[in-house]
Coordinates of all heavy atoms in Angstrom, one line a residue:
P1 N 2.4 -4.9 8.8 CA 2.7 -4.2 10.0 C 1.6 -4.3 11.0 O 0.4 -4.4 10.6 CB 3.0 -2.8 9.6 CG 3.1 -2.8 8.1 CD 2.5 -4.0 7.6
E2 N 1.9 -4.1 12.3 CA 0.9 -4.1 13.3 C -0.1 -3.0 13.0 O 0.3 -1.9 12.7 CB 1.5 -4.0 14.7 CG 0.6 -4.2 15.8 CD 1.3 -4.2 17.1 OE1 2.4 -4.6 17.2 OE2 0.6 -3.8 18.1
G3 N -1.4 -3.2 13.2 CA -2.4 -2.2 13.0 C -2.8 -2.1 11.5 O -3.6 -1.1 11.2
M4 N -2.4 -3.0 10.7 CA -2.7 -2.9 9.2 C -3.1 -4.3 8.7 O -2.6 -5.3 9.2 CB -1.6 -2.4 8.4 CG -1.2 -1.0 8.7 SD -0.1 -0.3 7.5 CE -1.1 -0.1 6.2
W5 N -4.0 -4.3 7.7 CA -4.4 -5.6 7.1 C -4.4 -5.3 5.6 O -5.1 -4.3 5.1 CB -5.8 -6.0 7.5 CG -5.8 -6.3 9.0 CD1 -5.7 -7.5 9.6 CD2 -6.1 -5.3 10.0 NE1 -5.8 -7.3 10.9 CE2 -6.0 -6.0 11.3 CE3 -6.3 -3.9 10.1 CZ2 -6.2 -5.4 12.5 CZ3 -6.5 -3.3 11.3 CH2 -6.4 -4.0 12.5
L6 N -3.7 -6.1 4.8 CA -3.7 -5.9 3.4 C -4.8 -6.7 2.8 O -5.0 -7.9 3.1 CB -2.4 -6.3 2.8 CG -1.2 -5.5 3.4 CD1 0.1 -6.0 2.7 CD2 -1.4 -4.0 3.3
S7 N -5.6 -6.2 1.9 CA -6.7 -6.9 1.2 C -6.4 -7.3 -0.2 O -7.1 -8.2 -0.7 CB -8.0 -6.1 1.4 OG -7.9 -4.9 0.7
N8 N -5.5 -6.6 -0.9 CA -5.2 -6.8 -2.3 C -3.9 -6.3 -2.7 O -3.6 -5.1 -2.3 CB -6.3 -6.2 -3.2 CG -6.2 -6.6 -4.6 OD1 -5.3 -6.2 -5.3 ND2 -7.1 -7.5 -5.1
I9 N -3.1 -7.1 -3.4 CA -1.8 -6.6 -3.9 C -1.8 -7.0 -5.4 O -2.0 -8.2 -5.7 CB -0.6 -7.3 -3.2 CG1 -0.7 -7.0 -1.7 CG2 0.7 -6.9 -3.8 CD1 0.3 -7.7 -0.8
S10 N -1.5 -6.1 -6.3 CA -1.4 -6.4 -7.7 C -0.3 -5.6 -8.3 O 0.1 -4.6 -7.8 CB -2.7 -6.1 -8.4 OG -3.1 -4.8 -8.3
A11 N 0.2 -6.1 -9.4 CA 1.2 -5.4 -10.2 C 1.0 -5.6 -11.7 O 0.6 -6.7 -12.1 CB 2.6 -5.8 -9.8
R12 N 1.3 -4.6 -12.5 CA 1.1 -4.7 -13.9 C 2.4 -4.1 -14.5 O 2.8 -3.0 -14.3 CB -0.1 -3.9 -14.4 CG -0.3 -3.9 -15.9 CD -1.5 -3.1 -16.3 NE -1.1 -1.7 -16.4 CZ -1.5 -0.7 -15.6 NH1 -2.3 -0.9 -14.6 NH2 -1.1 0.6 -15.7
Y13 N 3.1 -5.0 -15.3 CA 4.4 -4.5 -15.9 C 4.2 -4.1 -17.3 O 3.5 -4.7 -18.1 CB 5.4 -5.7 -15.8 CG 6.0 -5.8 -14.5 CD1 5.4 -6.6 -13.5 CD2 7.1 -5.1 -14.1 CE1 5.9 -6.7 -12.2 CE2 7.7 -5.1 -12.8 CZ 7.1 -6.0 -11.9 OH 7.6 -6.1 -10.6
E14 N 5.0 -3.0 -17.7 CA 5.0 -2.5 -19.1 C 6.5 -2.1 -19.3 O 7.0 -1.2 -18.7 CB 4.1 -1.3 -19.2 CG 2.6 -1.7 -19.0 CD 1.8 -0.4 -19.1 OE1 2.3 0.7 -19.2 OE2 0.5 -0.6 -18.9
Q15 N 7.1 -2.8 -20.1 CA 8.5 -2.6 -20.5 C 9.4 -2.8 -19.3 O 9.5 -3.8 -18.7 CB 8.7 -1.3 -21.2 CG 8.0 -1.2 -22.5 CD 8.1 0.1 -23.2 OE1 8.8 1.0 -22.7 NE2 7.5 0.2 -24.4
S16 N 10.1 -1.7 -18.8 CA 11.1 -1.9 -17.8 C 10.7 -1.6 -16.4 O 11.4 -1.7 -15.4 CB 12.3 -1.0 -18.1 OG 11.9 0.4 -18.1
S17 N 9.4 -1.3 -16.2 CA 8.9 -1.1 -14.8 C 7.4 -1.4 -14.8 O 6.8 -1.7 -15.8 CB 9.1 0.4 -14.4 OG 8.3 1.3 -15.1
G18 N 6.9 -1.4 -13.6 CA 5.5 -1.7 -13.5 C 4.8 -0.8 -12.5 O 5.4 0.1 -11.9
I19 N 3.5 -1.0 -12.4 CA 2.7 -0.2 -11.5 C 2.1 -1.2 -10.5 O 1.5 -2.2 -10.8 CB 1.5 0.5 -12.2 CG1 2.0 1.4 -13.3 CG2 0.6 1.2 -11.2 CD1 2.8 2.6 -12.8
G20 N 2.4 -0.9 -9.2 CA 1.9 -1.7 -8.1 C 0.7 -1.0 -7.4 O 0.7 0.2 -7.4
L21 N -0.2 -1.8 -6.9 CA -1.3 -1.3 -6.2 C -1.6 -2.2 -5.0 O -1.6 -3.4 -5.1 CB -2.6 -1.4 -7.1 CG -3.9 -1.0 -6.5 CD1 -3.9 0.5 -6.1 CD2 -5.1 -1.2 -7.4
I22 N -1.6 -1.5 -3.8 CA -1.9 -2.3 -2.6 C -3.1 -1.6 -1.9 O -3.1 -0.4 -1.7 CB -0.7 -2.2 -1.6 CG1 0.5 -2.9 -2.3 CG2 -1.0 -2.9 -0.3 CD1 1.8 -2.9 -1.5
K23 N -4.1 -2.4 -1.5 CA -5.3 -2.0 -0.8 C -5.3 -2.6 0.5 O -4.9 -3.7 0.7 CB -6.5 -2.3 -1.6 CG -6.6 -1.7 -3.0 CD -7.9 -2.1 -3.7 CE -8.0 -1.5 -5.1 NZ -9.3 -1.8 -5.7
G24 N -5.9 -1.9 1.5 CA -6.0 -2.5 2.8 C -6.7 -1.6 3.8 O -7.4 -0.6 3.4
W25 N -6.6 -2.0 5.1 CA -7.2 -1.3 6.2 C -6.2 -1.1 7.2 O -5.2 -1.8 7.4 CB -8.3 -2.2 6.8 CG -9.3 -2.7 5.8 CD1 -9.3 -3.8 5.0 CD2 -10.5 -2.0 5.4 NE1 -10.3 -3.8 4.1 CE2 -11.1 -2.7 4.4 CE3 -11.1 -0.8 5.9 CZ2 -12.3 -2.4 3.8 CZ3 -12.3 -0.5 5.3 CH2 -12.9 -1.2 4.3
A26 N -6.4 0.0 8.0 CA -5.5 0.3 9.1 C -6.3 0.9 10.3 O -7.5 1.2 10.1 CB -4.5 1.4 8.7
L27 N -5.7 0.9 11.4 CA -6.4 1.4 12.6 C -6.4 2.9 12.6 O -7.3 3.5 13.2 CB -5.7 0.9 13.9 CG -5.8 -0.6 14.1 CD1 -5.1 -1.0 15.4 CD2 -7.3 -1.0 14.2
S28 N -5.5 3.6 11.9 CA -5.4 5.0 11.9 C -4.7 5.5 10.6 O -4.0 4.8 10.0 CB -4.7 5.5 13.1 OG -3.3 5.2 13.0
H29 N -4.8 6.8 10.4 CA -4.1 7.4 9.2 C -2.6 7.4 9.5 O -1.8 7.2 8.6 CB -4.6 8.9 9.0 CG -5.9 9.0 8.5 ND1 -6.2 8.7 7.2 CD2 -7.1 9.4 9.0 CE1 -7.5 8.9 6.9 NE2 -8.0 9.4 8.0
K30 N -2.2 7.5 10.8 CA -0.8 7.4 11.2 C -0.2 6.1 10.8 O 0.9 6.0 10.3 CB -0.6 7.7 12.7 CG 0.9 7.7 13.0 CD 1.1 8.1 14.5 CE 2.5 8.1 14.9 NZ 3.5 7.3 14.3
D31 N -1.0 5.0 11.0 CA -0.5 3.7 10.7 C -0.2 3.6 9.2 O 0.8 3.0 8.7 CB -1.5 2.6 11.1 CG -1.5 2.4 12.5 OD1 -0.6 2.7 13.3 OD2 -2.6 1.9 13.0
V32 N -1.1 4.2 8.4 CA -0.9 4.2 6.9 C 0.4 5.0 6.6 O 1.2 4.6 5.8 CB -2.1 4.8 6.2 CG1 -1.8 4.9 4.7 CG2 -3.4 4.0 6.4
S33 N 0.5 6.2 7.2 CA 1.7 7.0 6.9 C 3.0 6.3 7.3 O 4.0 6.4 6.6 CB 1.5 8.3 7.7 OG 2.7 9.1 7.6
D34 N 3.0 5.7 8.5 CA 4.2 5.0 8.9 C 4.5 3.8 8.0 O 5.7 3.6 7.6 CB 4.0 4.4 10.3 CG 3.9 5.5 11.4 OD1 4.3 6.6 11.1 OD2 3.6 5.1 12.5
W35 N 3.5 3.1 7.5 CA 3.8 2.0 6.5 C 4.3 2.5 5.2 O 5.2 2.0 4.7 CB 2.4 1.2 6.3 CG 2.5 0.2 5.2 CD1 3.1 -1.0 5.2 CD2 2.0 0.4 3.9 NE1 3.0 -1.6 4.0 CE2 2.3 -0.8 3.2 CE3 1.3 1.4 3.2 CZ2 1.9 -0.9 1.8 CZ3 1.0 1.2 1.9 CH2 1.3 0.1 1.2
M36 N 3.8 3.7 4.7 CA 4.3 4.2 3.5 C 5.7 4.7 3.6 O 6.5 4.5 2.7 CB 3.4 5.4 3.0 CG 2.0 4.9 2.6 SD 1.0 6.2 1.8 CE 2.0 6.7 0.5
A37 N 6.1 5.2 4.8 CA 7.5 5.5 5.0 C 8.4 4.3 5.0 O 9.5 4.4 4.4 CB 7.7 6.2 6.4
I38 N 8.0 3.2 5.5 CA 8.7 1.9 5.4 C 8.8 1.5 3.9 O 9.9 1.1 3.5 CB 8.1 0.8 6.2 CG1 8.2 1.2 7.7 CG2 8.7 -0.5 5.9 CD1 7.4 0.3 8.6
M39 N 7.7 1.6 3.2 CA 7.7 1.1 1.8 C 8.6 2.0 0.9 O 9.2 1.4 0.0 CB 6.3 1.2 1.2 CG 5.3 0.2 1.8 SD 5.8 -1.5 1.5 CE 5.5 -1.6 -0.3
E40 N 8.8 3.2 1.3 CA 9.8 4.1 0.5 C 11.2 3.6 0.6 O 12.0 3.9 -0.2 CB 9.7 5.5 1.0 CG 8.4 6.2 0.6 CD 8.3 7.6 1.2 OE1 9.0 8.0 2.1 OE2 7.4 8.3 0.7
T41 N 11.5 2.7 1.6 CA 12.9 2.2 1.8 C 13.1 0.9 1.1 O 14.2 0.4 1.1 CB 13.3 2.1 3.3 OG1 12.5 1.0 3.9 CG2 13.0 3.4 4.0
V42 N 12.0 0.3 0.5 CA 12.1 -1.0 -0.1 C 12.8 -0.9 -1.5 O 12.3 -0.1 -2.3 CB 10.7 -1.7 -0.2 CG1 10.8 -3.0 -1.0 CG2 10.1 -1.9 1.2
P43 N 13.9 -1.6 -1.7 CA 14.5 -1.6 -3.0 C 13.6 -2.0 -4.1 O 12.8 -3.0 -3.9 CB 15.7 -2.6 -2.9 CG 15.9 -2.7 -1.4 CD 14.6 -2.5 -0.7
G44 N 13.6 -1.3 -5.2 CA 12.7 -1.7 -6.3 C 11.4 -1.0 -6.3 O 10.6 -1.2 -7.2
I45 N 11.1 -0.3 -5.3 CA 9.8 0.4 -5.2 C 10.1 1.9 -5.1 O 10.9 2.4 -4.3 CB 8.9 0.0 -4.0 CG1 8.5 -1.5 -4.2 CG2 7.7 0.9 -3.8 CD1 7.7 -2.0 -3.0
S46 N 9.4 2.7 -5.9 CA 9.5 4.2 -5.8 C 8.2 4.9 -6.1 O 7.2 4.2 -6.5 CB 10.6 4.6 -6.8 OG 10.2 4.4 -8.2
N47 N 8.2 6.2 -5.9 CA 7.0 7.0 -6.3 C 5.7 6.5 -5.6 O 4.6 6.5 -6.2 CB 6.8 7.0 -7.8 CG 7.9 7.6 -8.5 OD1 8.6 8.5 -8.0 ND2 8.2 7.1 -9.7
I48 N 5.8 6.0 -4.3 CA 4.6 5.5 -3.6 C 3.7 6.7 -3.3 O 4.2 7.7 -2.7 CB 5.0 4.6 -2.4 CG1 3.7 4.0 -1.8 CG2 5.8 5.4 -1.4 CD1 4.0 2.8 -0.9
K49 N 2.5 6.6 -3.6 CA 1.5 7.6 -3.3 C 0.2 7.0 -2.8 O -0.2 6.0 -3.3 CB 1.1 8.4 -4.6 CG 2.3 8.9 -5.4 CD 2.7 10.2 -4.8 CE 3.8 10.9 -5.7 NZ 5.0 11.2 -5.1
C50 N -0.3 7.6 -1.8 CA -1.6 7.2 -1.2 C -2.7 7.8 -2.0 O -2.9 9.0 -2.0 CB -1.7 7.5 0.2 SG -3.1 6.8 1.0
S51 N -3.5 7.0 -2.8 CA -4.6 7.6 -3.6 C -5.9 7.6 -2.9 O -6.8 8.3 -3.3 CB -4.7 6.8 -4.9 OG -4.9 5.4 -4.7
V52 N -6.0 6.8 -1.8 CA -7.3 6.7 -1.0 C -6.8 6.5 0.5 O -6.0 5.7 0.8 CB -8.2 5.5 -1.4 CG1 -9.4 5.4 -0.4 CG2 -8.7 5.7 -2.8
S53 N -7.4 7.3 1.4 CA -7.2 7.1 2.8 C -8.5 7.7 3.5 O -8.5 9.0 3.6 CB -5.9 7.8 3.3 OG -5.7 7.6 4.6
E54 N -9.4 6.9 3.8 CA -10.7 7.4 4.3 C -11.2 6.6 5.5 O -11.0 5.4 5.6 CB -11.8 7.5 3.2 CG -12.0 6.2 2.5 CD -12.9 6.4 1.3 OE1 -12.9 7.5 0.7 OE2 -13.6 5.4 1.0
E55 N -11.7 7.4 6.5 CA -12.2 6.7 7.7 C -13.5 6.1 7.4 O -14.3 6.6 6.7 CB -12.3 7.8 8.8 CG -11.0 8.3 9.2 CD -11.1 9.4 10.3 OE1 -12.3 9.7 10.8 OE2 -10.1 10.0 10.6
T56 N -13.7 4.9 8.0 CA -14.9 4.1 7.8 C -15.1 3.2 9.1 O -14.3 3.3 10.0 CB -14.8 3.3 6.5 OG1 -16.1 2.6 6.3 CG2 -13.7 2.2 6.6
L57 N -16.1 2.4 9.0 CA -16.3 1.4 10.1 C -16.2 0.0 9.5 O -16.7 -0.3 8.5 CB -17.7 1.6 10.7 CG -18.0 2.9 11.5 CD1 -19.5 2.9 11.9 CD2 -17.1 3.0 12.7
V58 N -15.5 -0.9 10.3 CA -15.4 -2.3 9.9 C -15.9 -3.1 11.1 O -15.4 -3.0 12.2 CB -14.0 -2.7 9.6 CG1 -13.9 -4.1 9.4 CG2 -13.4 -1.9 8.5
E59 N -17.1 -3.7 10.9 CA -17.7 -4.5 12.0 C -18.0 -3.6 13.2 O -17.8 -4.0 14.3 CB -16.9 -5.7 12.4 CG -16.8 -6.7 11.2 CD -16.1 -8.0 11.6 OE1 -15.8 -8.2 12.7 OE2 -15.9 -8.8 10.7
G60 N -18.4 -2.3 12.9 CA -18.7 -1.4 14.0 C -17.5 -0.7 14.6 O -17.7 0.1 15.5
M61 N -16.3 -1.0 14.2 CA -15.1 -0.4 14.8 C -14.5 0.6 13.8 O -14.5 0.4 12.6 CB -14.0 -1.5 15.1 CG -14.5 -2.6 16.0 SD -14.9 -1.9 17.7 CE -13.2 -1.5 18.2
P62 N -14.0 1.7 14.3 CA -13.4 2.7 13.3 C -12.1 2.1 12.7 O -11.3 1.4 13.3 CB -13.0 3.9 14.2 CG -13.1 3.4 15.6 CD -13.9 2.2 15.6
A63 N -12.0 2.4 11.4 CA -10.8 2.0 10.6 C -10.6 2.9 9.5 O -11.4 3.8 9.2 CB -11.1 0.6 10.1
V64 N -9.4 2.8 8.8 CA -9.0 3.6 7.7 C -8.8 2.7 6.5 O -8.0 1.8 6.6 CB -7.8 4.4 8.0 CG1 -7.3 5.2 6.7 CG2 -8.0 5.4 9.1
Q65 N -9.6 2.9 5.5 CA -9.4 2.1 4.2 C -8.4 2.9 3.4 O -8.5 4.1 3.2 CB -10.7 2.0 3.5 CG -10.6 1.2 2.2 CD -12.0 1.0 1.6 OE1 -12.9 1.7 1.9 NE2 -12.0 0.0 0.7
F66 N -7.4 2.2 2.8 CA -6.4 2.9 2.0 C -6.1 2.2 0.7 O -6.4 1.0 0.6 CB -5.1 3.1 2.8 CG -4.3 1.8 3.1 CD1 -3.3 1.5 2.2 CD2 -4.6 1.1 4.2 CE1 -2.6 0.3 2.4 CE2 -3.9 -0.1 4.4 CZ -2.9 -0.5 3.5
E67 N -5.5 2.9 -0.2 CA -5.1 2.4 -1.5 C -3.8 3.1 -1.8 O -3.8 4.4 -1.8 CB -6.1 2.6 -2.5 CG -5.8 2.1 -3.9 CD -6.9 2.2 -4.9 OE1 -8.0 1.7 -4.6 OE2 -6.7 3.0 -5.8
A68 N -2.7 2.4 -2.1 CA -1.4 3.0 -2.4 C -1.0 2.5 -3.8 O -1.0 1.3 -4.1 CB -0.4 2.7 -1.4
K69 N -0.5 3.4 -4.6 CA 0.1 3.1 -5.9 C 1.6 3.4 -5.9 O 2.0 4.3 -5.2 CB -0.6 3.9 -7.0 CG -2.1 3.5 -7.2 CD -2.7 4.3 -8.3 CE -4.2 4.0 -8.3 NZ -4.9 4.8 -9.4
M70 N 2.3 2.6 -6.7 CA 3.8 2.8 -6.7 C 4.4 2.3 -8.0 O 3.7 1.5 -8.7 CB 4.4 2.0 -5.5 CG 4.3 0.5 -5.6 SD 4.1 -0.3 -4.0 CE 2.5 0.2 -3.5
T71 N 5.6 2.7 -8.3 CA 6.3 2.2 -9.4 C 7.1 1.0 -8.9 O 7.7 1.0 -7.8 CB 7.3 3.2 -10.0 OG1 6.6 4.4 -10.4 CG2 8.1 2.7 -11.1
V72 N 7.1 -0.1 -9.6 CA 7.8 -1.3 -9.2 C 8.8 -1.7 -10.3 O 8.4 -1.8 -11.5 CB 6.8 -2.5 -9.1 CG1 7.6 -3.8 -8.6 CG2 5.7 -2.2 -8.1
L73 N 10.1 -1.7 -9.9 CA 11.1 -2.0 -10.9 C 11.4 -3.5 -10.8 O 11.3 -4.1 -9.8 CB 12.4 -1.3 -10.6 CG 12.3 0.3 -10.6 CD1 13.5 0.9 -10.1 CD2 11.9 0.7 -12.0
P74 N 11.7 -4.2 -12.0 CA 12.0 -5.6 -11.9 C 13.3 -5.9 -11.2 O 14.2 -5.1 -11.1 CB 12.2 -6.0 -13.4 CG 12.5 -4.7 -14.1 CD 11.9 -3.6 -13.3
G75 N 13.3 -7.0 -10.5 CA 14.4 -7.5 -9.7 C 15.4 -8.2 -10.6 O 15.2 -8.4 -11.8
A76 N 16.5 -8.6 -10.0 CA 17.6 -9.4 -10.7 C 17.2 -10.8 -11.0 O 17.8 -11.5 -11.7 CB 18.8 -9.3 -9.8
G77 N 16.1 -11.3 -10.3 CA 15.7 -12.6 -10.5 C 16.3 -13.6 -9.5 O 17.2 -13.2 -8.8
L78 N 15.9 -14.8 -9.6 CA 16.5 -15.8 -8.7 C 17.3 -16.8 -9.5 O 17.1 -17.1 -10.6 CB 15.3 -16.6 -8.0 CG 14.3 -15.8 -7.2 CD1 13.2 -16.7 -6.7 CD2 15.0 -15.2 -6.0
D79 N 18.4 -17.2 -8.9 CA 19.3 -18.2 -9.5 C 19.0 -19.6 -9.0 O 18.6 -19.8 -8.0 CB 20.8 -17.8 -9.2 CG 21.2 -16.5 -9.9 OD1 20.7 -16.2 -10.9 OD2 22.1 -15.8 -9.3

């Protein structure tokens, strides 16, 4: 999304679901909140929680570093 940069995406599966982790940067806490609201509507993703959201500087500019964890359900696969 505009105003956000993702720096790392990972997932670890155990049995029928997995744990997803997304790290990145945003221009504001509101950008992080708006993105999480969008992620809550994505099929196969649930229980999204922001575990880190802290203001910092990136190259002298204000930014918000964030980390979000979620449950990831396996998809139907590709045919």
Side-chain angles (χ1 to χ4, degrees):
E2 189 172 331
M4 296 192 72
W5 300 267
L6 303 181
S7 60
N8 187 287
I9 300 173
S10 63
R12 182 182 79 249
Y13 282 90
E14 296 173 0
Q15 298 179 359
S16 63
S17 68
I19 302 297
L21 177 65
I22 298 178
K23 297 180 181 181
W25 305 88
L27 295 177
S28 69
H29 289 289
K30 182 178 181 329
D31 290 336
V32 175
S33 177
D34 291 348
W35 171 76
M36 289 187 61
I38 292 168
M39 291 298 290
E40 288 175 347
T41 69
V42 175
I45 293 179
S46 64
N47 301 323
I48 186 162
K49 305 280 188 237
C50 188
S51 56
V52 173
S53 182
E54 55 191 27
E55 294 178 4
T56 186
L57 294 176
V58 176
E59 297 182 7
M61 301 295 292
V64 174
Q65 183 177 16
F66 71 91
E67 180 176 299
K69 295 180 183 178
M70 66 213 70
T71 301
V72 181
L73 301 174
L78 301 174
D79 292 331

